[in-house]
Amino acid sequence: MIAILGTGKMGEALLSGLVRAGLRPSEIMVTARREERAEALRETYGVRVVSNAEAAKAAETIILAVKPQDMGSLLAEIAPYVPADRLVISVAAGITTAFVESRLGEAVPVVRVMSNTPVLVDEAMSVISPGAHAAERHLARTESLLKPVGKVLRIPESQQDAATALSGSGPAYFFYLVEAMVDAGILLGMPRAAALDMVTQSIVGAAIMLRDSGEHPVILREAVTSPGGTTIAAIAELERHKVRAAFLDAIEAARDRSRQLASG
């Protein structure tokens, strides 16, 4: 039995992925604060909506998907009901395994996960890190839950805040870029729908090339950048406006915010 505690946007994304991956609704229970939210989850997925305490008592694997600021109170609520043989998976940004372990006690195995919203289309990037009491079998169990909805990578927990900034928040940077490129197309006289189609397909194609070719992104960019051509003119403008430096600063700021969330 798997329990998802806090079925908001990310919790529901994981829930939908687990169902698509073949888990039966009877194998999953979820929690929700509001009754209307609970009813929507029942109707959409056919899962049981229970209290946090009931979920903690019954599930072999407990996924903590509440907001970081709500994690302390949730752990205090479920701590009496979580024995040492449970696997606890935390998907809350900035929350360390040590934070969870210190509040649950009993040497509970904890795995920290940072995933992202493409879990909704089975293309998530999920990174996982073991806590002090998590063994290989706990990492393997976590991977088995996440692999049907995307790629899974093991990293040291010291890199989790960086992963949050890079891939956890990464889809937002992508959508921001698409928005800017579409606006540029409109400025140049393109209808919005046509501009969106062109930008979306260009980026999807480029991403697949990058993933499947094994080439370094510099090589792929240089293949498009002819001497004295249109692309190098555009690249020169991006460099003049320090777009690369802005991305470095932005991702560093996201990393720092993840650390702040962890410190309360």
Side-chain angles (χ1 to χ4, degrees):
M1 180 66 70
I2 297 170
I4 301 175
L5 278 60
T7 317
K9 289 182 179 179
M10 182 53 70
E12 184 177 2
L14 291 170
L15 169 60
S16 66
L18 292 174
V19 171
R20 288 195 307 279
L23 265 73
R24 297 187 302 274
S26 60
E27 298 177 281
I28 307 170
M29 57 178 62
V30 302
T31 73
R33 281 184 173 178
R34 294 175 288 107
E35 179 53 38
E36 60 267 31
R37 176 66 172 160
E39 186 57 32
L41 293 168
R42 289 189 198 98
E43 291 183 1
T44 303
Y45 302 101
V47 294
R48 290 175 57 204
V49 183
V50 299
S51 68
N52 290 326
E54 185 177 352
K57 289 176 186 176
E60 292 85 15
T61 300
I62 302 168
I63 300 175
L64 308 177
V66 296
K67 294 178 180 178
Q69 58 267 33
D70 296 329
M71 185 62 80
S73 59
L74 173 66
L75 292 172
E77 181 181 354
I78 67 171
Y81 310 107
V82 182
D85 61 347
R86 298 290 192 263
L87 168 59
V88 176
I89 299 171
S90 171
V91 300
I95 300 298
T96 65
T97 57
F99 180 94
V100 178
E101 290 163 352
S102 67
R103 285 154 178 81
L104 293 182
E106 291 289 334
V108 173
V110 179
V111 175
R112 179 175 173 181
V113 173
M114 173 47 59
S115 193
N116 58 18
T117 54
V119 69
L120 289 167
V121 291
D122 299 335
E123 291 290 350
M125 179 68 248
S126 301
V127 293
I128 68 173
S129 304
H133 311 296
E136 170 61 30
R137 69 181 186 277
H138 301 119
L139 288 172
R141 170 63 170 160
T142 304
E143 286 175 332
S144 72
L145 294 175
L146 295 171
K147 278 184 177 178
V149 294
K151 186 172 184 176
V152 185
L153 182 67
R154 298 185 186 186
I155 63 171
E157 188 169 7
S158 61
Q159 296 175 5
Q160 275 280 353
D161 291 317
T164 298
L166 199 60
S167 64
S169 300
Y173 314 148
F174 165 79
F175 298 134
Y176 184 87
L177 175 62
V178 168
E179 182 184 359
M181 292 177 69
V182 170
D183 284 347
I186 295 168
L187 179 65
L188 299 177
M190 283 281 180
R192 179 175 293 275
L196 180 58
D197 278 347
M198 285 188 284
V199 171
T200 301
Q201 185 56 37
S202 295
I203 293 182
V204 168
I208 292 173
M209 283 183 66
L210 181 60
R211 183 190 66 187
D212 294 349
S213 70
E215 296 282 6
H216 193 282
V218 170
I219 301 299
L220 296 174
R221 178 185 59 76
E222 287 180 345
V224 189
T225 310
S226 303
T230 58
T231 305
I232 192 59
I235 296 294
E237 281 298 301
L238 292 173
E239 293 293 347
R240 185 172 70 84
H241 288 282
K242 296 181 171 55
V243 171
R244 186 189 303 265
F247 266 102
L248 293 173
D249 289 345
I251 293 171
E252 189 173 36
R255 188 276 315 273
D256 292 345
R257 179 56 180 156
S258 180
R259 288 177 174 173
Q260 290 170 4
L261 290 171
S263 63

